[in-house]
Amino acid sequence: MTQNRILSHMLADIARDYGQPVMIWQASTLLGALLVAWVLARLVARALESRRRARQETARFGSESLRKALFPLLGGLLVWGAQTALAESMSTSLLELALVPLFGIALIYLVFFIARRVFGRTGHAHAWLSIAEKLVSVLVWIGMGITVLGIQDEVLRWMASVRFRVGNAHMTLLSFTTGLMWVCATVVFALWLGSVYEDRVMRAHSVDANLRVVLSRVGRALLLLAAVLVSFSLVGIDITVLGVFGGALGVGLGLSLQKIASNYVSGFIILIDRSLRLGDTINVAGLQGMVTQITTRYTKVRGLDGIETLIPNEKLVTDVVQNHSSYLTRGYAKAAVQIAYTSDVDQAMALLVEAAHGVERVLEDPAPAAYFVGFGADGINLELGYWIEEAAKGTAATRSSVNRNIWRLFGEHGISIPYARRDIHLVGALPAVLNGAVELAQDPSIGAGANEMREPGTPLARDAATGA
């Protein structure tokens, strides 16, 4: 009786079986189950890693905790199966005792995995997350120690005897602790399901990007709301009181939170009607930049100077927004050129098309095309039309490359671009005209132009000689 009062049934059974042949059988079974669990854990870990690589996913934060949980979890399941099968034919005190640390350690790592998946999505563990993990570890180890010592019933009775009041409600330490655990478990489980759901939705490339964002966020919000309602019901809180809270919240939104509510509603409108997309180049209120993130409250725009600006979604709905990006993400450009009447038109048009081929970001489909625009005063007007990929990034460099190719090809094939021709008629007596020409020739600011007029055979000299 003294031994039973000091030791729990687990430790008492271990002490009873110590030195007996049954202990050897239990130890052999335990080692065999752990060996099989170790092999299965490695195989499962490799399968998960292969699946991650096949989907081309980056290393997920918390995956190391999942790998560490595989061995104790599989070992616990195998040991529990062996203990159940052998319980009728032999004593299984050692197997029963081994289940406590196996499932306890597996629970710790599973909690780590879920917590890091939910709260460490950026890939970095926050300080409060590390503190929460240490707290969970301490609580689980205390629970394992209490279970092994067999004093869990006494601890539960003591917690049920501690009573206190929260408002008008009478609670015990046991009910408060149980309720808090249920709330934390349901909320964390809902957030984890929301994280899995968001990953699945964001990988559905057949669905529009904006619609994926809406579905993922609405789904997570609904799961979190359901978790809160279920946890309240499990704790015993009457959820009808939430109706009063909802009414008060509605009044608050209508008064003090009007702008915030308007931004959230505008965010859902932008995401649903797909008026803006990630990567679009927009101009709103004098700010031009590329949309890098769309949330339910604001839109992040990276300006041409690299500075990111948060624009409230209400402004994007009520103000005029210029979107420089089309759904096709391409833009049309043209190059106008004039050739002399003595040039070969067909050759010139072929050279124009050739000038656009091979230039970076110039699309081959639709193919560049040359057009005979009309007859000009000094030559034939031609035009080259072509499409530029991702025109929102700028077209100046592409148009410059095409124009340089046109200039080079025209020079190589003797296609001349005419200068503008102007006829000058001199009015007045011939001596006055000649005196004016002499004065112009003596003016050093005129330079070569005056000398050209003085040369015999020029149109001006001939007109002056004939008195025209």
Side-chain angles (χ1 to χ4, degrees), residues 83-342:
Q83 188 263 339
T84 305
L86 299 176
E88 304 229 350
S89 59
M90 57 182 289
S91 175
T92 57
S93 58
L94 180 61
L95 299 179
E96 185 178 356
L97 180 63
L99 290 176
V100 177
L102 288 175
F103 282 125
I105 296 173
L107 177 61
I108 292 175
Y109 285 121
L110 286 177
V111 171
F112 287 1
F113 168 70
I114 295 175
R116 297 191 178 202
R117 280 289 304 270
V118 173
F119 302 107
R121 297 179 61 81
T122 58
H124 301 283
H126 299 286
W128 61 266
L129 181 58
S130 177
I131 294 175
E133 291 177 350
K134 292 179 181 179
L135 180 61
V136 170
S137 300
V138 171
L139 293 177
V140 172
W141 278 105
I142 291 176
M144 287 190 291
I146 291 174
T147 303
V148 171
L149 294 176
I151 59 175
Q152 62 270 21
D153 294 335
E154 288 78 3
V155 172
L156 293 177
R157 281 195 295 269
W158 173 79
M159 294 179 66
S161 64
V162 179
R163 300 178 179 274
F164 55 91
R165 292 183 60 180
V166 178
N168 295 327
H170 295 273
M171 302 185 67
T172 64
L173 182 59
L174 179 61
S175 62
F176 177 78
T177 305
T178 305
L180 185 62
M181 292 178 59
W182 273 112
V183 171
C184 293
T186 52
V187 170
V188 172
F189 182 71
L191 291 175
W192 176 68
L193 284 181
S195 175
V196 175
Y197 170 76
E198 183 179 0
D199 291 341
R200 293 293 182 90
V201 172
M202 297 305 292
R203 285 201 301 263
H205 299 291
S206 58
V207 183
D208 181 77
N210 287 356
L211 185 58
R212 291 201 299 266
V213 175
V214 173
L215 292 176
S216 62
R217 290 180 179 169
V218 171
R220 294 191 69 179
L222 291 178
L223 286 172
L224 183 59
L225 178 61
V228 172
L229 295 178
V230 170
S231 60
F232 282 175
S233 299
L234 293 173
V235 173
I237 299 177
D238 188 5
I239 61 176
T240 56
V241 299
L242 295 179
V244 179
F245 174 75
L249 180 61
V251 174
L253 290 177
L255 297 177
S256 61
L257 303 179
Q258 182 179 3
K259 286 292 184 182
I260 297 177
S262 177
N263 286 326
Y264 275 98
V265 173
S266 300
F268 278 105
I269 292 175
I270 293 173
L271 292 172
I272 291 174
D273 65 8
R274 294 177 288 179
S275 56
L276 292 180
R277 295 167 177 261
L278 296 180
D280 283 358
T281 300
I282 64 174
N283 191 333
V284 55
L287 174 66
Q288 183 175 356
M290 184 178 67
V291 178
T292 58
Q293 184 181 6
I294 301 176
T295 67
T296 51
R297 189 178 66 86
Y298 61 84
T299 296
K300 186 180 294 185
V301 177
R302 181 181 297 133
L304 301 179
D305 54 0
I307 300 176
E308 291 189 339
T309 305
L310 303 182
I311 301 177
N313 289 328
E314 181 189 13
K315 198 172 189 63
L316 298 176
V317 173
T318 57
D319 289 2
V320 177
V321 179
Q322 295 179 346
N323 193 340
H324 299 274
S325 303
S326 65
Y327 291 130
L328 299 177
T329 67
R330 65 185 184 184
Y332 184 76
K334 58 184 179 181
V337 65
Q338 191 178 70
I339 64 173
Y341 279 101
T342 56

Side-chain angles (χ1 to χ4, degrees), residues 336-417:
V337 65
Q338 191 178 70
I339 64 173
Y341 279 101
T342 56
S343 300
D344 188 342
V345 176
D346 294 333
Q347 184 185 19
M349 295 178 67
L351 292 176
L352 286 177
V353 175
E354 182 181 349
H357 287 302
V359 178
E360 186 179 2
R361 291 172 57 199
V362 173
L363 296 176
E364 297 294 335
D365 184 20
Y371 303 97
F372 193 122
V373 178
F375 302 94
D378 303 311
I380 299 174
N381 295 325
L382 302 180
E383 184 179 282
L384 171 65
Y386 54 95
W387 290 90
I388 300 178
E389 184 181 11
E390 297 181 352
K393 294 183 178 180
T395 61
T398 304
R399 289 188 283 108
S400 175
S401 300
V402 173
N403 291 335
R404 291 177 60 185
N405 288 344
I406 294 174
W407 178 260
R408 177 178 56 81
L409 292 174
F410 277 15
E412 293 176 355
H413 294 82
I415 303 296
S416 61
I417 299 177

